[in-house]
Amino acid sequence: MSNKLKSGMLSVLILAFVLAGCSSNSKSQSEQPAAAEKPKASTQEPAAPAPVSQELNWIIAAEVPTADSVKSYDRVSSSQIEIFAEGLYKIDGDNKTVPVLATGDPVISEDGLTYTIQLRSGLKWSNGEPLTAKDFVYAWKRLFDPNTAAQQASTYYNIKNAQAINEGKAALDTLGIEAVSDTELKVTLEYPDTYFTSSLTSVNLFPQNEKFVTEKGDAYGSSSENTLGNGPFNLTNWDGTGLTWSFTKNEHYWDKDNIKLDKINIQVVKEVGTGINLYESGAVDVAELSGEYISQYINNPEYVTVSALSASNVELGISSNKFLQNENLRKALSLVVNREELVKNVLIDGSLPLTGIVPKGIAVNPDNGTDFADEAGVLAKTDVEEGKRLWELAKQELGTDKITFELITSDHDAAKKTSQYLQSQFETNLPGLKIEVSNVPTKVRFEKMMSYKFDLALGGWTGDFDPVSYLNLFYSTYEHNHAKYKDETYDALITKIKTEDSVNPQQRWKDLQEAQKLALSKAVVIPLYQGASNYLIKSKVKGVVTHNLGTPLEITRAYIE
Amino acid sequence: MTFFKFILKRLAFMLATLFLISTITFLLMNFLPGSPYQNEEKLTPVQRQMMNEKYGLDKPAGERYLIYLSGLAKGDLGISLQFGNQPVSKLLSSRIGPSIQLGLQAMLLGTVAGIILGTISAMYQNSFIDTFASLSAIIGRSIPNFIFAVLLQLVFAVSLKWLPIALWDDGFRSTILPTLALAIAPMADAARFIRTEMIEVLNSDYAELAKAKGQSKVRIAFVHGLRNALIPLITIIGPMTVGLMTGSLVVENIFAIPGIGEQFVKSIVTNDYATIMSVTLLYSVLLVVIILIVDILYGLIDPRIRLAGAKQ
């Protein structure tokens, strides 16, 4: 072979390699939805004379795992499902439950077990097929069918036979839901539940079209073609794993006259800085803020903060560490934490100090509408002097001068900052205490907590509409009672709340408050802060509704001015 | 004929390597703490048990591995629990394109620029140009690519508005900044390797001879010298290309590119078993194939390097 020939072959090889790469790309590129191309033109040069284009360019922080409302278990997918599907009720801007597909509040039987709900007539799926009460029955059965393996199923075990069905011990047909007629649903509960109507707003209880779902089989909810909705918009151009998709107006939606947007373009942007750059350039109408960006934008008129219903706590391994069984020691730990300082100077992310077990915004007093947390007041106080006093007392009682605790936390930014702050607070204020911080992946931290073997752990909890979903964490036999705390009075109170109080909302409220007070008087947990989500939203975008419960920003009724 | 034999032998080795890699990965994966369910704090023990049965996770590791292998033989990569039980093959096929395109573009740009930079450095050894080129190579190698990515984004997209800030929706224009960010490292590496080799080559007898014959400096370096200086570079180009083609977590996130890079980390963090196996195998397959190609290239570039068995 001559040299020329060989070098010729070499270049052909390299070229072939490069071309092979190029061709496979140009294909994948053309598969990308063209949707995101248009927004740029429309936002960068707002068309002055014609009416404003009602096209919203929105970014979210992660991919959508599934568009199947029954299988959805995370915030991202439910935030997207709520755009193209709708249930019986929804949460409005004031955290109140309001009817959407239902015509009014449910009629509840005397014993609190039977709910009769009327549906609007003439409801349609986005493909034009009629939507009836049977579609709810189908979806709910599918939710509890063990073959579906829906991760959220246990949240709704208050529905009659739901748990038995989900565990394969009862037939699907025994589920407590029945389509009395096309527009009337009858739901039977296992036990009375004051917050059942609120839980009817969850995407997991949205209707599903049996014919469509059966036809798609396992692929249901894995792409826009394989998904059917009934909400304000239709999901389009979603390939199941991609970073872009869009929503177009659903002409079959019952309230379509109140939908002003023609199109919503969604783009997944994971890097906060990139989102902000896109926002500043006008390419998108929203950006999520985190970390240092929050303090940079906090005085911007377009800054929006929405507190989340999540509680971040220091969990105490009471059962696994004998020092933590000392009540004075636990109290001392809690007293030296300055929650105000933590959220204002350390986290700086819109979080609120948390001084109870139940965060703000969960539930209101049935008599006077006062928020649960507001009514409870400051239960976990900060008092460094008292903390120091109790610490010395505890050391005497325990007969030791030096105590070392491991503080186990996740390895994300906020957890690291919080753990460093706690370490300095504990060690400076409580002489003889040594804190060994270990920042580990969330799964590792969780496994340690679930094995009930840890000293201190930075944990969190997101409950649901009912304060008891937080208070249950210290019920002796609950598997997420990571402290394995056991107090008969407390257990009795929780049992009472779950059973006999169910038909007496006033008494239940009192007992809930009582239970929270009791748990914190024993310092079974150290509440730290209530998280928040922070955004920038363009001032031209109106009608965005913020929620503490569920999806922080609802955009279905938004419009552009 | 010997070439054919060589290839067959290598293919057998490649299969054995891949089998070993997949076995070890599967073993290690079993030590990951936690479950693949993203909502595990809300699962009841009974639910968890039933889900484990449904996804075959209740079986012993050995049995699961056999099931996995038989699925693999049929081309079934399993399902991703992170992506609503969608097939991993779908995830890979929709995400690999952008990563490969960026990787190859960055590789091509980086090595060509690096070769030119390195050769010039060698030609003007210890001059101002050399110092400048070496310095930029060191800077390029020591600063992580996400810093470049953010800088490029700020300068060329946010300030100058020449190119899109991010997103994968503007055809080739969308690829320019991420390609540049990714190309810095291969450029720096190539420049360093070529410089060292080229200095040696340019001091060799045949380079002196060419010089004596009156050939120009540029011609000596690029025509006579380059081919001899390429060998060590070729060795590192293989693994580097694979690394680039399988995407970069940070660069993809900064430019919001639907690539596969993120999955190398995220699948592990989320215990998405089938995806961990698939991305590991993808990387390994690319790597062994590229190593084979590199070995063949050696022979083409330098005929003195004989293929194994060729002497027989």
Side-chain angles (χ1 to χ4, degrees):
Chain A
M1 253 198 275
S2 80
N3 275 350
K4 259 191 193 140
L5 187 62
K6 271 180 258 169
S7 52
M9 271 180 70
L10 178 66
S11 36
V12 168
L13 231 158
I14 292 173
L15 195 68
F17 216 69
V18 172
L19 284 182
C22 288
S23 67
S24 79
N25 294 304
S26 48
K27 184 166 153 275
S28 73
Q29 235 170 296
S30 62
E31 276 167 5
Q32 292 293 320
E37 245 168 83
K38 282 153 213 159
K40 245 181 266 157
S42 64
T43 44
Q44 277 175 354
E45 308 144 324
V52 204
S53 145
Q54 290 297 327
E55 194 166 324
L56 188 66
N57 295 299
W58 210 247
I59 54 179
I60 60 172
E63 292 101 334
V64 168
T66 179
D68 183 342
S69 54
V70 155
K71 287 186 182 166
S72 157
Y73 55 80
D74 64 302
R75 273 236 195 140
V76 180
S77 55
S78 58
S79 75
Q80 298 304 296
I81 291 169
E82 283 165 358
I83 300 177
F84 71 81
E86 202 165 56
L88 293 165
Y89 297 89
K90 75 173 199 181
I91 310 257
D92 71 0
D94 302 322
N95 281 345
K96 287 208 180 68
T97 303
V98 292
V100 272
L101 295 190
T103 54
D105 290 341
V107 178
I108 308 167
S109 66
E110 279 287 301
D111 59 4
L113 289 175
T114 315
Y115 282 61
T116 311
I117 300 158
Q118 303 295 332
L119 263 71
R120 290 175 190 280
S121 53
L123 291 173
K124 285 199 168 102
W125 289 99
S126 65
N127 62 5
E129 284 177 25
L131 188 161
T132 68
K134 290 190 191 74
D135 296 315
F136 283 92
V137 177
Y138 171 71
W140 290 24
K141 285 185 179 166
R142 192 164 167 262
L143 173 65
F144 299 110
D145 185 342
N147 295 319
T148 313
Q151 294 201 31
Q152 279 288 84
S154 66
T155 311
Y156 314 99
Y157 279 176
N158 50 4
I159 299 166
K160 191 168 195 261
N161 283 333
Q163 181 164 10
I165 293 168
N166 198 222
E167 293 176 354
K169 292 173 198 152
L172 271 186
D173 284 336
T174 59
L175 186 68
I177 181 169
E178 185 194 341
V180 181
S181 72
D182 277 356
T183 55
E184 186 174 321
L185 264 178
K186 204 170 99 188
V187 180
T188 318
L189 299 188
E190 196 75 47
Y191 45 85
D193 181 353
T194 330
Y195 296 92
F196 183 67
T197 314
S198 306
S199 70
L200 289 172
T201 58
S202 310
V203 296
N204 301 124
L205 299 178
F206 281 12
Q208 289 196 329
N209 182 313
E210 178 165 12
K211 195 176 125 218
F212 192 88
V213 177
T214 330
E215 195 182 293
K216 299 295 179 187
D218 277 347
Y220 181 74
S222 64
S223 69
S224 38
E225 290 74 38
N226 291 330
T227 309
L228 181 63
N230 65 318
F233 294 89
N234 294 321
L235 173 66
T236 53
N237 288 324
W238 181 58
D239 69 2
T241 55
L243 300 185
T244 52
W245 57 90
S246 48
F247 292 99
T248 53
K249 210 167 166 171
N250 174 9
E251 291 307 325
H252 293 291
Y253 182 57
W254 65 274
D255 194 23
K256 68 171 177 184
D257 296 341
N258 286 320
I259 303 301
K260 294 172 192 137
L261 289 175
D262 295 320
K263 198 173 179 203
I264 304 170
N265 301 301
I266 305 276
Q267 171 72 48
V268 176
V269 176
K270 297 176 184 174
E271 187 66 33
V272 175
T274 302
I276 293 169
N277 285 340
L278 288 167
Y279 180 86
E280 293 284 5
S281 80
V284 296
D285 300 319
V286 71
E288 188 160 0
L289 299 175
S290 70
E292 266 83 67
Y293 288 111
I294 297 171
S295 38
Q296 193 181 325
Y297 283 96
I298 205 150
N299 294 319
N300 189 308
E302 295 181 337
Y303 168 77
V304 175
T305 180
V306 187
S307 62
L309 296 186
S310 62
S312 290
N313 306 313
V314 178
E315 298 201 28
L316 309 167
I318 297 176
S319 70
S320 59
N321 188 311
K322 66 172 183 345
F323 294 133
L324 288 169
Q325 284 155 17
N326 184 299
E327 200 177 300
N328 285 330
L329 185 146
R330 297 202 301 265
K331 282 183 181 160
L333 290 176
S334 186
L335 282 168
V336 299
V337 177
N338 188 337
R339 294 160 184 87
E340 284 288 336
E341 188 176 64
L342 173 67
V343 300
K344 288 220 174 89
N345 302 334
V346 181
L347 291 166
I348 329 172
D349 61 357
S351 296
L352 299 171
L354 182 68
T355 54
I357 296 170
V358 180
K360 226 176 253 226
I362 299 267
V364 291
N365 188 321
D367 286 336
N368 55 24
T370 314
D371 184 86
F372 189 88
D374 287 338
E375 192 175 312
V378 179
L379 294 175
K381 296 189 177 64
T382 303
D383 184 343
V384 178
E385 288 316 308
E386 176 68 2
K388 283 180 173 168
R389 192 183 69 82
L390 292 177
W391 171 250
E392 294 306 324
L393 210 62
K395 282 199 294 192
Q396 273 172 25
E397 285 167 3
L398 294 166
T400 179
D401 235 8
K402 283 198 168 35
I403 294 176
T404 304
F405 287 136
E406 184 193 27
L407 171 62
I408 179 161
T409 85
S410 292
D411 53 2
H412 56 79
D413 204 39
K416 282 185 188 163
K417 280 189 192 165
T418 310
S419 60
Q420 284 160 9
Y421 173 76
L422 289 171
Q423 184 183 35
S424 81
Q425 289 295 300
F426 288 152
E427 289 187 350
T428 35
N429 291 322
L430 307 176
L433 179 60
K434 192 167 158 28
I435 300 289
E436 283 167 359
V437 173
S438 112
N439 302 121
V440 296
T442 304
K443 293 245 173 208
V444 177
R445 170 181 65 84
F446 188 69
E447 199 169 70
K448 277 222 167 179
M449 284 162 63
M450 286 309 286
S451 67
Y452 312 110
K453 285 196 173 57
F454 63 100
D455 302 337
L456 309 177
L458 193 57
W461 190 255
T462 306
D464 51 42
F465 313 94
D466 190 342
V468 86
S469 61
Y470 289 85
L471 298 171
N472 205 24
L473 290 172
F474 308 101
Y475 185 77
S476 62
T477 55
Y478 186 46
E479 73 256 26
H480 290 294
N481 176 0
H482 303 130
K484 281 205 156 185
Y485 175 72
K486 191 167 162 49
D487 177 345
E488 272 156 28
T489 328
Y490 189 78
D491 280 7
L493 205 50
I494 296 291
T495 311
K496 181 164 178 260
I497 289 166
K498 286 184 184 166
T499 53
E500 63 181 274
D501 277 357
S502 299
V503 281
N504 186 349
Q506 277 82 8
Q507 185 58 40
R508 190 174 197 271
W509 184 266
K510 265 187 215 150
D511 289 339
L512 284 166
Q513 290 285 5
E514 189 56 39
Q516 174 170 257
K517 217 179 269 173
L518 179 62
L520 285 175
S521 71
K522 311 262 179 196
V524 295
V525 66
I526 304 175
L528 291 178
Y529 64 91
Q530 173 170 6
S533 308
N534 300 277
Y535 307 91
L536 292 171
I537 302 175
K538 290 276 177 203
S539 52
K540 64 173 183 177
V541 180
K542 306 286 181 199
V544 176
V545 179
T546 61
H547 297 297
N548 304 120
L549 271 172
T551 307
L553 300 178
E554 188 203 319
I555 50 177
T556 58
R557 263 70 177 176
Y559 57 96
I560 291 162
E561 203 173 66
Chain B
M1 207 52 217
T2 47
F3 182 72
F4 184 65
K5 244 187 182 166
F6 164 77
I7 295 285
L8 267 186
K9 201 169 148 195
R10 286 295 298 264
L11 280 177
F13 273 121
M14 275 160 64
L15 277 178
T17 312
L18 289 177
F19 177 77
L20 262 179
I21 291 173
S22 71
T23 312
I24 293 170
T25 312
F26 201 93
L27 264 174
L28 289 176
M29 210 165 68
N30 276 296
F31 293 112
L32 281 178
S35 76
Y37 313 122
Q38 301 314 308
N39 192 37
E40 60 182 326
E41 66 270 21
K42 295 287 168 72
L43 293 179
T44 65
V46 181
Q47 264 186 313
R48 182 189 298 248
Q49 178 58 29
M50 293 185 76
M51 289 178 70
N52 282 344
E53 278 167 29
K54 181 180 161 89
Y55 299 118
L57 297 174
D58 57 330
K59 299 190 174 72
E63 196 181 336
R64 274 188 286 134
Y65 186 48
L66 288 180
I67 294 172
Y68 178 79
L69 282 184
S70 72
L72 198 61
K74 289 178 233 146
D76 176 11
L77 296 174
I79 55 162
S80 164
L81 285 166
Q82 227 187 119
F83 283 95
N85 305 354
Q86 297 187 54
V88 176
S89 50
K90 183 179 159 190
L91 173 67
L92 288 189
S93 59
S94 69
R95 289 294 185 88
I96 191 73
S99 293
I100 291 190
Q101 180 183 3
L102 289 181
L104 288 178
Q105 281 180 198
M107 195 63 226
L108 203 68
L109 177 72
T111 38
V112 169
I115 287 172
I116 295 172
L117 212 61
T119 311
I120 294 175
S121 271
M123 280 161 62
Y124 303 99
Q125 203 191 337
N126 298 333
S127 70
F128 167 72
I129 301 173
D130 180 24
T131 318
F132 176 77
S134 302
L135 196 71
S136 33
I138 291 167
I139 292 173
R141 197 70 199 97
S142 22
I143 297 180
N145 58 13
F146 61 86
I147 303 276
F148 281 111
V150 171
L151 275 178
L152 290 167
Q153 191 182 56
L154 277 178
V155 175
F156 294 103
V158 176
S159 301
L160 297 171
K161 298 193 171 63
W162 290 351
L163 289 162
I165 293 172
L167 311 189
W168 193 248
D169 58 1
D170 205 359
F172 182 69
R173 278 165 49 85
S174 289
T175 71
I176 298 176
L177 292 182
T179 301
L180 286 173
L182 288 171
I184 301 281
M187 185 200 79
D189 279 342
R192 278 189 311 139
F193 271 85
I194 289 290
R195 179 181 179 274
T196 318
E197 280 301 308
M198 192 61 95
I199 287 171
E200 206 174 299
V201 168
L202 290 182
N203 289 327
S204 66
D205 294 345
Y206 65 84
E208 290 293 329
L209 177 67
K211 204 167 154 193
K213 275 164 74 184
Q215 294 202 340
S216 74
K217 226 173 173 179
V218 176
R219 198 178 149 79
I220 297 169
F222 282 95
V223 178
H224 299 287
L226 192 56
R227 211 124 80 76
N228 292 299
L230 270 181
I231 294 290
L233 182 66
I234 295 284
T235 315
I236 60 155
I237 273 183
M240 210 149 76
T241 312
V242 178
L244 284 170
M245 285 201 302
T246 44
S248 150
L249 164 70
V250 268
V251 172
E252 281 172 11
N253 276 354
I254 287 170
F255 293 104
I257 295 159
I260 197 75
E262 187 188 30
Q263 283 307 319
F264 282 86
V265 178
K266 205 176 157 204
S267 64
I268 295 173
V269 177
T270 57
N271 283 13
D272 192 354
Y273 301 132
T275 310
I276 299 178
M277 287 305 289
S278 301
V279 292
T280 312
L281 278 177
L282 172 81
Y283 190 94
S284 320
V285 168
L286 283 173
L287 194 63
V288 292
V289 169
I290 294 259
I291 289 176
L292 177 67
I293 293 175
V294 164
D295 283 354
I296 297 170
L297 281 183
Y298 281 148
L300 292 176
I301 290 169
D302 188 346
R304 286 171 305 183
I305 298 174
R306 291 272 173 257
L307 298 173
K311 275 179 192 155
Q312 293 160 10

